[in-house]
Amino acid sequence: MLQKKDLVGLIDVTKAELTELLDVAAEMKVHLKAGEKNLSYLKGKTATILFYENSTRTRTSFELAAKYLGATVINIAAGSSSVAKGETLVDTGKTLDAQLNDFLIMRHPMGGAPYLLGKTVKASVLNAGDGMNEHPTQGLLDMLTMRETFGTLQGLKVAILGDIKHSRVAKSNLFGLKTMGADVYMYAPETLIPKGIDKLGAKLCKSKEEAIDNADVVMGLRIQLERQQAGNFPSLDEYAHFYGVTAKDLKRAKPNAIVMHPGPVNRGVELTGKVIDHDQSRIEEQVFSGIAVRMAALKLLNDYRNAKGVTNV
Ligand code: CP
């Protein structure tokens, strides 16, 4: 059983816990495909969604996941909350705890913010992305999508290309995939590779070919325009030429390889339009996996709360 009050990162999630999360997510997909969107695992529970950064996929899928499990869901946009009046994160957490929330789902620009919140509140905190640190449910939905395609994560070659340095998605994938026995290859301009990532288990590549050759999974990561303005690479065209994935590049991967991207995608930069819309692309399946994984995370954290008698009442 998941032995945690909070899900704030994959760095400390065990293989058994990851396997359980993925297994329960697979069961949730079966429910969703059968049109069962009125489950009762979280009946009587409240989830508050607190996003200090923009989102399309993560925010909506957490909201759908909590609602499909029967929870009452509240959305707080940080810009319209008392955060805008200077309330601290800890005080915001205490306020939400006093309102008897069971789950706080938070995206925050500062790495570590969900860890701080989790230590402050009795509610379970789910990290929906913290700065450049982690995005655990994105890592899980990526792993679920891969496991469904290949039946296992053990021994897969996963090539990740793009802005590794600023990517919380890359880090959660690296931690989760390494624990599950996959090999993670990374390729990016040197300015977009974080120092020490190889010590965490990533295999750094010297060329796009080295990364993609014989890969099972080719994953692009979003390039942020402000990174170019900061001088991390000369131009988007040049980036697309040297680091973007084309249909020709994809031919170097295994014949049954899949293409992934956490979104939002810059069409023609990280991946060409042809690759995004390719029959080997799993980008839309990733979005569907996102709801199932978030349902699984909420259910298993709730099971832990019930088993340990954790309550905010
Ligand atoms: N993948 C991801 O986190 O997308 P959003 O920013 O739209 O949530």
Side-chain angles (χ1 to χ4, degrees):
M1 196 179 99
L2 188 63
Q3 292 296 323
K4 288 170 176 49
K5 177 180 86 68
D6 308 307
L7 181 62
V8 288
L10 296 189
I11 192 163
D12 62 350
V13 181
T14 66
K15 187 171 185 177
E17 289 174 325
L18 287 172
T19 302
E20 185 185 32
L21 280 158
L22 297 177
D23 288 348
V24 174
E27 287 167 23
M28 293 300 175
K29 267 199 173 176
V30 174
H31 285 300
L32 292 174
K33 283 182 177 162
E36 294 163 13
K37 299 178 180 175
N38 57 351
L39 305 175
S40 55
Y41 294 111
L42 297 190
K43 198 166 183 325
K45 301 297 169 77
T46 307
T48 288
I49 299 177
L50 180 62
F51 270 47
Y52 293 80
E53 275 185 0
N54 294 341
S55 166
T56 300
R57 282 148 282 265
T58 312
R59 198 194 60 70
T60 50
S61 62
F62 261 121
E63 181 165 352
L64 289 171
K67 285 182 171 166
Y68 292 165
L69 294 175
T72 298
V73 182
I74 304 293
N75 264 287
I76 301 178
S80 61
S81 73
S82 290
V83 169
K85 298 181 202 163
E87 186 169 62
T88 66
L89 179 61
V90 168
D91 285 339
T92 301
K94 285 180 180 166
T95 302
L96 296 173
D97 237 13
Q99 292 175 336
L100 307 185
N101 276 286
D102 301 286
F103 301 97
L104 301 180
I105 299 159
M106 185 174 75
R107 172 169 285 190
H108 199 282
M110 302 302 292
Y115 292 82
L116 174 64
L117 187 65
K119 288 195 189 317
T120 308
V121 297
K122 293 186 193 126
S124 287
V125 173
L126 293 100
N127 178 8
D130 62 325
M132 298 189 286
N133 184 38
E134 279 222 46
H135 192 348
T137 54
Q138 179 71 45
L140 287 167
L141 76 87
D142 291 337
M143 287 193 283
L144 178 65
T145 308
M146 292 176 210
R147 198 181 75 162
E148 284 174 343
T149 305
F150 300 107
T152 182
L153 297 169
Q154 179 71 42
L156 291 185
K157 176 177 177 178
V158 180
I160 303 181
L161 297 92
D163 183 356
I164 314 284
K165 184 173 178 178
H166 303 96
S167 174
R168 48 202 180 202
V169 177
K171 283 159 204 119
S172 285
N173 265 292
L174 176 62
F175 298 142
L177 285 166
K178 288 300 298 173
T179 302
M180 296 305 287
D183 293 314
V184 180
Y185 291 68
M186 292 182 168
Y187 182 57
E190 274 196 33
T191 47
L192 296 178
I193 296 271
K195 289 206 181 355
I197 194 92
D198 49 337
K199 307 265 186 322
L200 294 172
K203 294 178 197 281
L204 296 181
C205 299
K206 298 224 174 314
S207 68
K208 187 158 64 168
E209 291 72 24
E210 185 187 349
I212 297 179
D213 270 351
N214 219 28
D216 298 283
V217 178
V218 179
M219 183 186 295
L221 294 178
R222 189 169 79 89
I223 284 292
Q224 297 161 32
L225 296 181
E226 60 269 28
R227 305 298 170 213
Q228 188 211 326
Q229 282 144 19
N232 284 311
F233 56 93
S235 74
L236 283 182
D237 282 351
E238 211 160 65
Y239 179 89
H241 180 72
F242 288 107
Y243 301 95
V245 180
T246 65
K248 189 171 164 216
D249 294 325
L250 191 55
K251 288 200 169 77
R252 306 188 76 95
K254 286 192 181 147
N256 62 343
I258 59 172
V259 174
M260 301 178 76
H261 193 295
V265 190
N266 294 306
R267 271 187 181 258
V269 181
E270 302 100 41
L271 308 173
T272 61
K274 204 167 164 186
V275 169
I276 293 168
D277 302 326
H278 203 281
D279 59 9
Q280 287 169 257
S281 168
R282 292 291 179 278
I283 295 173
E284 286 174 25
E285 189 62 29
Q286 285 175 266
V287 177
F288 182 46
S289 294
I291 303 178
V293 150
R294 286 159 186 138
M295 289 171 78
L298 285 162
K299 181 195 178 295
L300 291 173
L301 290 175
N302 192 52
D303 289 349
Y304 176 83
R305 294 173 73 79
N306 289 340
K308 300 284 178 190
V310 180
T311 171
N312 51 13
V313 179

